Amino acid sequence: MDYREFFESAKNFTCLWCWKRLNTGILQTYYTLMQIIVWTKNAGKIAAVQKSIDEYEILRGSGLHSCDVDSGLAAQPIGLEMIVYGAKNRAFSAYSSGKYDLAFGIESGIFSVPYTKSGYMDTSCCVIYDGSNYHIGFSSCFEYPKKMIESIMN
């Protein structure tokens, strides 16, 4: 698989969708095994990154590391700006913590959406940081029941 095919097929995965934004010159230097870190101890998030890595020959066999850090946000971020900020903060902190080629920061939260029953939807933001650029992708959104939103907001 060459990098153009990789970019096209990566659109199907939240974590790797943002790969298409990487400079192809940078990507071409990564044909050796990379060291990748995800800044979380959440087993589901680690599994999502591992599944994405295993799916692509260009990444397969790369070392995946994880560690935990405070994102600097509330347990349930509210607003797209805060969700992206948390993911960027995690990716930057992860990259800065050692000698890694790529760092993933994943943050979930709710944001205001007009015409929904509760007024809010949940999404996850994945940021991949390569030491120079941030590459941002989002998951699909879903709506929580109104009572859950009320408990989050109070």
Side-chain angles (χ1 to χ4, degrees):
M1 174 183 298
D2 74 7
Y3 69 88
R4 286 177 214 82
E5 292 172 303
F6 173 76
F7 283 157
E8 280 305 307
S9 61
K11 287 191 250 181
N12 297 323
F13 292 90
T14 301
C15 290
L16 290 179
W17 177 86
C18 43
W19 263 102
K20 73 177 188 171
R21 296 179 181 264
L22 281 174
N23 177 305
T24 57
I26 293 171
L27 184 60
Q28 288 170 339
T29 66
Y30 286 150
Y31 275 87
T32 59
L33 295 182
M34 291 185 276
Q35 295 301 309
I36 299 170
I37 186 165
V38 57
W39 206 252
T40 187
K41 284 295 184 183
N42 179 305
K45 292 177 180 180
I46 295 168
V49 173
Q50 185 64 61
K51 183 177 179 182
S52 297
I53 289 169
D54 292 344
E55 186 72 23
Y56 296 96
E57 186 177 339
I58 193 172
L59 299 175
R60 200 172 296 132
S62 295
L64 180 62
H65 310 272
S66 68
C67 53
D68 203 13
V69 68
D70 184 7
S71 68
L73 301 176
Q76 179 67 61
I78 299 172
L80 281 175
E81 183 174 352
M82 296 310 295
I83 297 166
V84 174
Y85 173 81
K88 282 182 73 174
N89 189 36
R90 287 179 188 273
F92 179 80
S93 296
Y95 189 87
S96 301
S97 71
K99 295 188 177 199
Y100 300 103
D101 299 297
L102 295 174
F104 285 69
I106 303 171
E107 190 70 57
S108 298
I110 61 172
F111 64 101
S112 178
V113 177
Y115 309 111
T116 57
K117 294 175 189 116
S118 67
Y120 290 87
M121 294 191 90
D122 182 277
T123 192
S124 293
C125 177
C126 177
V127 173
I128 300 172
Y129 183 59
D130 63 14
S132 299
N133 297 293
Y134 293 95
H135 312 280
I136 301 173
F138 284 92
S139 68
S140 300
C141 302
F142 64 92
E143 186 173 11
Y144 285 145
K146 193 170 186 172
K147 288 193 184 248
M148 282 185 74
I149 295 296
E150 289 169 358
S151 70
I152 290 169
M153 301 303 276
N154 294 326

